[in-house]
Amino acid sequence: MEFTTILLEKKATHYLLTLNRPDKLNALNATVLQELDAALTIVEQDSANTCCLVLTGSGPKSFAAGADIAQLHEQNGSTGKSFAEFGQKVFSRIENFSIPVIAAVNGFALGGGCELAMSAHIRYASENAKFAQPEVSLGIIPGYGGTQRLPKLVGVAKAIELTISGVMISANEALSLGLVNAVCPMEELMMKVESFIDIVSSKGQLAVRASLDAIRASTNPSTDGMDVEATIFGSLCATEDFKEGTKAFLEKRSPEFTSR
Ligand code: COA
């Protein structure tokens, strides 16, 4: 598939997906969401050969400045719900992705941009990054999962404060709230992401992916997370990776994992 609004690059250990509408601060229009969805399928189909997916925005100014307000303006009482549902569907795919997804937030992460970052498993931000859910300024609320994910990350009271005011916060405030994992100078952002991926890619990949499944179970109230954890733990004990990892430790050498 030929993409027009995103770039998808395969690197040695990971995929890099760049939102690519810098003249519109990488605002998320319907084409971006469709291409994002298609790119997720490509990465998923190649997930045996890759460790992580990185999401970022093109240009020095913005990760994504939200849903495309021109397209948003066209919505009405009969189209608005499905407009939100499509974004929710794509972002839920990211949250439930089989390999770790890292958002490298390189500037504005507003509205749908903040929601996209929150659907990733880990967020690293550049010092100039700014976060907000400014939808109330437009007479709406976050529609791509923001009302559900923000409270889990920052707590209910802070999520309400941010959502009903729409105020923009700095990368360092986002760090202090737990909205991002780390903040670094813009020029170091990709290096920081890549050195983290280097660590993850040296581990047993079956265990890395199983960690996502087990931790996700902790946020599902209808699931017995402890049972999920014990079941996954048990199934990993049957893998060659587990035998190799423990044997390598006892033999004082680095493990050679095969994902079997
Ligand atoms: N949807 C559509 N276009 C957007 C956009 C969005 N969410 N955010 C920015 N753009 C466009 C601008 O319209 C402008 O396009 P133009 O050059 O054709 O006029 C271009 O991106 C650059 O934005 P501009 O506003 O000129 O940059 P700025 O540095 O002065 O301000 C922001 C940056 C992010 C503060 C400002 O663009 C903004 O408030 N954007 C909307 C954020 C928002 O409410 N997002 C939530 C949507 S639900």
Side-chain angles (χ1 to χ4, degrees), residues 14 17 37 63 86 92 122 134 168 181 192 194 198 212 225:
H14 61 279
L17 192 160
D37 197 36
F63 175 71
F86 184 57
S92 290
I122 292 172
M168 219 183 267
N181 294 64
K192 178 143 191 86
E194 283 168 11
D198 284 345
L212 293 181

Side-chain angles (χ1 to χ4, degrees), residues 192-215:
K192 178 143 191 86
V193 169
E194 283 168 11
S195 53
F196 178 72
I197 293 174
D198 284 345
I199 296 171
V200 177
S201 65
S202 71
K203 309 299 179 191
Q205 293 305 299
L206 296 176
V208 165
R209 291 159 199 214
S211 303
L212 293 181
D213 291 335
I215 292 169

Side-chain angles (χ1 to χ4, degrees), residues 23-25 27 61 65-69 72 108 110-111 134-135 138:
D23 54 325
K24 297 289 178 190
L25 304 184
K61 201 169 161 182
D68 189 301
I69 296 172
L72 195 54
F108 291 117
L110 309 178
E135 288 86 349
L138 304 171

